[in-house]
Every structure is written in structure tokens, then in C-alpha cells.
């Protein structure tokens, strides 16, 4: 096994998950992620905790979506609800043999399944917000993800490990350094009322953020990480956002997405690819057309788009906005069965204004104490 997997497992368990002796730790992943799941399992045992592992074959997801009835797709699994009330830490390892396996699934079926997880999702986020549940998700570098990123497997492995600073002798030290920089940015934003994003490509989006909390994402939930985010005021988003990259959700892809907001809601949605899927997701419930998150990507070790939201939303010099449910710890109140992050690139002339003050241009912060490109 690549020794970087062992280093990743240690960082995930010790730093990200903060696993303690006696805790119940759930480890989930698809079949293809087994090598990393085993490495994480070993580290959980070494930490003195109690690991519970769940491996879900990719084909099972497709069988349910393809052959399941509406009643089956809408079923709220009581075992999952019990688990989210019981576990102390959740470690998710993401990967699949075929990332396009669900491309032909009806958008309506995907929406039904998304709604069935709404109660679970709200419980999960609530426990994460009150600090009683730690969670972290990471990517296993597999062939399908490498193909999506248009890289060889070895190139993609380097990309994944570089994004987590795992090529360095002490990755945790670098995460702590980035955490300090991000906290300074979050503290600055915490006192502001309005944030505006403008790009030469047509984005001009203004969001109200007064009274909302900006969260410092420093590798304790997503890994790799690198962003600050908040839940914008639900009625105060105005303008147009033209997303720079294809947005992937549930194995389906939409591209050329343009959303127009008025008084906090999406009033017009367009896409050059996957428009039917985009609109079906936005129409699944009352909260799906409202932004639940606005965030600035700060990980300058990630610079390439990879068709993987875990990495793409962290690209240093971008921002992302998620339609759907908000994270309660940010002060956001929007609820939905959807949470779909979409990324806009600021590195080609983009600007960020906060209460009218320019704080970032061409993807770089003007204040040297905020996150900066790696040297």
C-alpha cells in the first residue's frame, strides 16, 4: 500500500475525526475504497475506539434507484436514524468504480430518495452543530475519479494527497497554519453585513450575511479542506451567478449553470447540459431554491478542476454557493432534502467586495494575513 494512505488514515482519525477511546465510530464506503477503509479501521482500533464498518457496493445504489418503487425510494430507514442518534464519529470514504453509473436515472427518482433522507440529514447536521457528533469525509483515489479529472491514476493520487498536504513531513502543522489564516478571514467577515461576487464572465451576486457566523473549515470535516463559509440570510440573495465548472450531484452532471436570484430565491435556472435534472432538483421542496451556504475556497494546493466537489469547492481563488439546506452552526435556517455545491472561478478577473470594500481580486486576498498561495 502507498504509505500516504497510512498517513491519511492517521490524519483522518487523530486530527480530523478527533477520535477518543471508547467512542463508537462509523466507517462507510463503497467496495472500491476498501484499502483506505482498512487503514482507517486500524487507526480507530489503535485509538481505543469501537469501529463499525459499512461497505455498500455501487450496484446496490443503482438497483434501488432503477427498480425501487416510489414507496421504497421514500422509505425513512429507522436503522439509519438510530445510527445518527448513537454514533460519536462518522468517517465517510468516497469513491466508485463508475462515476457515471447513475446518469440515466430519472431525476424524479433521485429527488424522492433525496427527500427520504431529509430527516436523517437534519439530525446529522443538528448533532454536528451542537458538537455531539464529529464527522469527516475524504476521497479514495480510484480510477473513475481519475478519469473524471482527466488524469492518470498516479497523477490523481498525487493530486489527492497534495491537496491534503500529505506529501509534507507534518501535514497537521500545515493545517494548523491554514486554520489561523482562515480564522482571521472568518473573524473579519463576521462583523460585515453584505458580500458581493463579480466576474467578467457575468456573475454579479450579492448576499446578506449580517448576524451569521462564518465557519473555519480546516480539515476537521471535509478532508482535504480549505474554505470559510456561512449560511446567507434566506431572503437577501440578489443577482446572477454563472458557475464556471460542471456541477455533479448524485452521479448526475449539469454544466453551464446560470441561476438568477430575487429576494433569496432562484427565479430562473438555466444549464447547457442537464437542465432537466437541475430544475428537478430545485423543485423537490420549498427550500431547494434558496441558498443554504456561501463559501470562499482557500486551499491553494488545489488548483485543478476535477469534477469532484470535495476538491473543486476548495480551490484557492474560487467561491461556491450551495442551493438547499443550511448548516445550523452558521446561523442558516433553510431546510431541504438538497445541498448542492456549485463553484465559480475568481482567478480570471473576479472580485469580492465586503460592505463595498474590495478584499480579493483575481483569486487572491489583498490582506496578507488571509490565506495565500503556497510558496
Amino acid at each position: 500500500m502507498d504509505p500516504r494512505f497510512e498517513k491519511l488514515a492517521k490524519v483522518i482519525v487523530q486530527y480530523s475525526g478527533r477520535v477518543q477511546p471508547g467512542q463508537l465510530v462509523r466507517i462507510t464506503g463503497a467496495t472500491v475504497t476498501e484499502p483506505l477503509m482498512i487503514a482507517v479501521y486500524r487507526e480507530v482500533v489503535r485509538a481505543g475506539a469501537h469501529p463499525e464498518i459499512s461497505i455498500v457496493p455501487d450496484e446496490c445504489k443503482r438497483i434501488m434507484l432503477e427498480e425501487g418503487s416510489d414507496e421504497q425510494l421514500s422509505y425513512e430507514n429507522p436503522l439509519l436514524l438510530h445510527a445518527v442518534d448513537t454514533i460519536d464519529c462518522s468517517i465517510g470514504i468516497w469513491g466508485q468504480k463508475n462515476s457515471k453509473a447513475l446518469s440515466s436515472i430519472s431525476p424524479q427518482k433521485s429527488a424522492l430518495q433525496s427527500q427520504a433522507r431529509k430527516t436523517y440529514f437534519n439530525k446529522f447536521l443538528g448533532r454536528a452543530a451542537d458538537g455531539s457528533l464529529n464527522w469527516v469525509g475524504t476521497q479514495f483515489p480510484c480510477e473513475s475519479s481519475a478519469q473524471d479529472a482527466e488524469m492518470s491514476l498516479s497523477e490523481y493520487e498525487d493530486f489527492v494527497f497534495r491537496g491534503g498536504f500529505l506529501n509534507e513531513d507534518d501535514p497537521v502543522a500545515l493545517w494548523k497554519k491554514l486554520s489561523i489564516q482562515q480564522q482571521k478571514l472568518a473573524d473579519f467577515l463576521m462583523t460585515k453585513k453584505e458580500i458581493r461576487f463579480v466576474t467578467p464572465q457575468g456573475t454579479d451576486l450579492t448576499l446578506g450575511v449580517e448576524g451569521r457566523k462564518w465557519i473555519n473549515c480546516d480539515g476537521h470535516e471535509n478532508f482535504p479542506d480549505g474554505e470559510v463559509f456561512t449560511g446567507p440570510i434566506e431572503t437577501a440573495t440578489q443577482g446572477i451567478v454563472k458557475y464556471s465548472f460542471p456541477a455533479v450531484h448524485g452521479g448526475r452532471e449539469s454544466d453551464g449553470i446560470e441561476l438568477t436570484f430575487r429576494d433569496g430565491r432562484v427565479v430562473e435556472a438555466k444549464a447547457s447540459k442537464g437542465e432537466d435534472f437541475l430544475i428537478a432538483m430545485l423543485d423537490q421542496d420549498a427550500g431547494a431554491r434558496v441558498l443554504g451556504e456561501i463559501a470562499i475556497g482557500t486551499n491553494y494546493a488545489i488548483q485543478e478542476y476535477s469534477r469532484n466537489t470535495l476538491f473543486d469547492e476548495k480551490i484557492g481563488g474560487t467561491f461556491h454557493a450551495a442551493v438547499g439546506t443550511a448548516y445550523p452552526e452558521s446561523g442558516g435556517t433553510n431546510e431541504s432534502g438538497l445541498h448542492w455545491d456549485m463553484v465559480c472561478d475568481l482567478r480570471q478577473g473576479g472580485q469580492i467586495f465586503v460592505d463595498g470594500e474590495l478584499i480579493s481580486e483575481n483569486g487572491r486576498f489583498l490582506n496578507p494575513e488571509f490565506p495565500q498561495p503556497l510558496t
Side-chain angles (χ1 to χ4, degrees), residues 88-110:
D88 300 299
C89 179
S90 177
I91 300 176
I93 302 173
W94 303 319
Q96 58 281 313
K97 293 180 180 178
N98 179 0
S99 61
K100 302 297 189 294
L102 304 180
S103 297
S104 62
I105 297 297
S106 157
Q108 288 71 32
K109 287 195 168 190
S110 297

Side-chain angles (χ1 to χ4, degrees), residues 156-173:
Y156 188 70
E157 288 173 341
D158 288 343
F159 166 80
V160 168
F161 293 127
R162 184 171 63 249
F165 310 147
L166 293 163
N167 289 335
E168 305 296 329
D169 291 336
D170 189 353
V172 171

Side-chain angles (χ1 to χ4, degrees), residues 7-30:
K7 185 182 287 188
L8 173 56
K10 288 181 180 179
V11 173
I12 288 292
V13 172
Q14 297 175 14
Y15 173 75
S16 302
R18 292 163 285 192
V19 173
Q20 301 298 315
Q23 289 187 329
L24 178 59
V25 180
R26 181 183 63 184
I27 307 165
T28 60

Side-chain angles (χ1 to χ4, degrees), residues 178-320:
L178 180 60
S179 179
I180 292 170
Q181 295 173 329
Q182 290 182 166
Q183 192 59 53
K184 290 180 179 180
L185 174 60
D187 290 343
F188 169 80
L189 294 171
M190 208 88 73
T191 63
K192 307 304 179 181
K193 297 180 179 180
E194 184 178 274
I195 189 166
R196 179 187 178 202
F197 300 91
V198 181
T199 72
Q201 294 76 30
T203 291
D204 192 341
L205 188 70
T206 301
L207 306 97
V209 294
E210 185 176 11
R212 297 300 167 89
K213 182 178 181 180
W214 287 85
I215 307 297
N216 176 0
C217 298
D218 55 1
H220 283 107
E221 292 178 343
N222 287 332
F223 193 89
D225 220 331
E227 66 173 271
V228 295
F229 79 89
T230 194
I233 296 171
E234 289 71 22
T235 58
T237 303
Q238 310 282 355
I240 296 174
V241 56
K242 294 186 176 181
Y243 291 106
S244 309
F245 308 118
V248 181
H249 181 74
R252 297 287 297 270
E253 180 179 300
S254 296
D255 195 9
I257 297 174
E258 178 180 329
L259 302 181
T260 301
F261 289 85
R262 186 178 304 128
D263 299 329
R265 295 189 64 81
V266 176
V267 295
E268 186 176 1
K270 302 176 183 176
S272 59
K273 175 185 176 183
E275 185 173 291
D276 289 348
F277 178 71
L278 170 67
I279 292 173
M281 293 298 100
L282 293 175
D283 286 343
Q284 69 178 263
D285 58 33
R289 285 180 174 258
V290 178
L291 286 185
E293 177 189 357
I294 186 69
I296 304 171
T298 58
N299 188 334
Y300 288 92
I302 305 173
Q303 288 292 285
E304 304 96 336
Y305 171 71
S306 65
R307 279 188 170 80
N308 185 324
T309 303
L310 174 67
F311 297 92
D312 299 338
E313 68 177 8
K314 313 302 190 315
I315 294 173
T318 66
F319 82 89
H320 59 277

